[in-house]
Amino acid sequence: MLSAPLSGPLRATAEPPIPAARAWAARYAGGAGPALDLTQAVPGYPPPPELLARLAEAAGSVACAGYGANDGDAPLREALAADISGFYGAGVTAADIAITAGCNLAFAMTMAVLAAPGDAVMLPAPWYFNHQMALTMRGVRAVPLPARAEAGFVPDPAEAAALMDANPVRALVLVTPNNPTGAVYPPEVIHAFAELCRARGVWLVLDETYRDFLTEAQSPPHALFADAAWRDGLVHLYSFSKAYCVPGHRVGAVAAGPGFRAQLAKALDTWQICPARPAQTALTWAIPALAEWRAGNRALMAERARLFRAGVGQLPGWRLDAIGTYFAYLRLPEGAPDAEAAAESLAAEQGLMTLPGPFFGPGQQRHLRLAFANAGAEVLAQVPERLQAWARSFAPQAASPGDAQNAV
């Protein structure tokens, strides 16, 4: 037993959810077929050979073996600024960009700039669990902003304003397309939140990790960058992991104005020194060169969402409350146990690994999150059968076929 105490905020932080969920499957005997892991948002296809070759070449180069700039190599910052400017139809420059060792670190460093221990930050609930964990580790309180199924899991700016009256916050975080629900926030909602934050003197942190998987009809998702004052109150987060299938290389980015960036530079110098340089070199090439490949992956993800919706939509009793990009948010049938017990049982008895709603915050006891992005058609075809085989054990109240499909 340790005689010296450990960090109180770290001890108050929840255990990592994905390893916990995968541990349930260790009891699976294999009777339903191979285990299906739908816990983590992992691209279900490899990087293209050209990108892999450039990663290998850069990793073996003397140029990439030394330190680089704390905020990332200039060529990648320039390439990303051009990509952002083209995607959103607005001017963003390399001076606005900092490259980070993954988007999770980008968020953690952003919170270090914006909030001190004892402060509060508003997170829509259900939330991305690592966001809440990062706040707890620093002694920052997460203020839940309910995002409800009946509203498509899109939070309400008016409700946020009322909550701010009772809970002063330093920042408000939006994740769109959303993790865990897959919901895409309409442009007018994003703009209403931006106006609210500006009026209250609150920073808006907009995490758009999954923006590369928006359909053409959903792009651009907002026009915040067109406002000349965006640098005074907006912090934009981005990840290369999903769009380029390189999560193991840990490359993310922050776009923000000079005042924020000046303080962020201290966190960059302390926590990352510099992002890994081989991936930066390869991604500088990939941003313009792989535009068509990325578009093909966007179509592939849309097809996987269609297959998931079609399969689960035939299940009586289940309700698909939201689906998009990488995720499906599935309501348990009446009579089923609550989400954590359900997820454990599904993993141990059916070999189907999901994440229970309570991992994503309060009020989520009746939902499971399934990350279908890493699952091909042959895997997705097995999901409905395993869900229904499990559901027979408690004989849920019957519902007409199509309930789940018609829910979203």
Side-chain angles (χ1 to χ4, degrees):
M1 179 178 293
L2 291 172
S3 59
L6 301 176
S7 163
L10 262 293
R11 286 187 284 112
T13 301
E15 296 296 322
I18 290 174
R22 288 175 176 170
W24 296 329
R27 308 200 308 269
Y28 175 56
L36 309 179
D37 190 346
L38 302 185
T39 59
Q40 191 167 30
V42 179
Y45 41 85
E50 301 93 327
L51 179 54
L52 289 173
R54 288 174 181 269
L55 285 165
E57 180 182 1
S61 72
V62 173
C64 289
Y67 286 123
N70 287 4
D71 58 358
D73 292 346
L76 180 56
R77 293 168 55 213
E78 291 165 0
L80 181 58
D83 183 65
I84 291 174
S85 297
F87 185 80
Y88 295 95
V92 174
T93 71
D96 300 317
I97 303 294
I99 304 300
T100 63
C103 196
N104 269 17
L105 183 58
F107 180 85
M109 291 189 293
T110 293
M111 291 300 112
V113 174
L114 299 182
D119 287 338
V121 169
M122 186 171 290
L123 300 181
W127 52 49
Y128 174 42
F129 48 74
N130 280 154
H131 285 175
Q132 191 270 342
M133 291 168 71
L135 294 177
T136 304
M137 286 179 187
R138 298 200 64 253
V140 175
R141 182 169 58 93
V143 176
L145 170 61
R148 300 178 176 86
E150 55 268 27
F153 290 103
V154 175
D156 183 356
E159 186 168 6
L163 284 170
M164 286 181 187
D165 290 339
N167 300 273
V169 297
R170 297 283 297 162
L172 183 148
V173 179
L174 300 179
V175 182
T176 179
N178 186 257
N179 179 3
T181 66
V184 176
Y185 299 170
E188 61 272 19
V189 172
I190 297 173
H191 281 267
F193 274 111
E195 289 300 315
L196 169 65
C197 288
R198 180 176 298 178
R200 297 297 184 98
V202 169
W203 284 87
L204 175 61
V205 178
L206 185 59
D207 184 333
E208 294 188 275
T209 290
Y210 299 94
R211 59 97 159 164
D212 294 277
F213 300 96
L214 292 169
T215 66
E216 290 187 7
Q218 296 167 324
S219 299
H222 58 79
L224 298 187
F225 290 121
D227 183 345
W230 75 265
R231 294 173 178 87
D232 296 330
L234 172 66
V235 180
H236 179 268
L237 306 182
Y238 178 70
S239 172
F240 293 89
S241 294
K242 309 305 189 293
Y244 298 92
C245 299
V246 290
H249 288 278
R250 309 307 306 137
V251 188
V254 177
F260 176 92
R261 292 263 283 105
Q263 301 309 310
L264 179 66
K266 302 172 186 177
L268 293 167
D269 184 72
T270 302
W271 287 346
Q272 75 173 21
I273 307 298
C274 66
R277 302 193 67 205
Q280 292 188 74
T281 298
L283 288 167
T284 299
W285 165 84
I287 289 174
L290 297 182
E292 290 187 11
W293 179 80
R294 288 155 63 194
N297 294 335
R298 181 165 57 247
L300 176 63
M301 288 299 100
E303 174 62 11
R304 289 183 180 179
R306 187 193 68 78
L307 290 172
F308 190 97
R309 184 197 299 266
V312 175
Q314 303 307 309
L315 298 182
W318 297 85
R319 184 176 176 91
L320 188 56
D321 275 343
I323 186 169
T325 61
Y326 268 46
F327 306 111
Y329 211 57
L330 187 62
R331 184 186 295 271
L332 288 156
E334 293 293 330
D338 277 348
E340 192 159 355
E344 181 176 2
S345 178
L346 275 167
E349 297 171 15
Q350 294 294 322
L352 178 59
M353 286 171 269
T354 68
L355 291 183
F359 284 7
F360 303 97
Q364 307 303 309
Q365 292 86 356
R366 300 306 299 169
H367 284 94
L368 301 174
R369 191 200 77 174
L370 294 86
F372 57 76
N374 66 336
E378 69 285 352
V379 171
L380 293 177
Q382 300 176 57
V383 172
E385 180 180 348
R386 297 201 192 189
L387 288 172
Q388 201 59 5
W390 174 79
R392 292 190 194 102
S393 66
F394 54 83
Q397 180 179 344
S400 61
D403 275 359
Q405 187 173 9
N406 293 333
V408 293

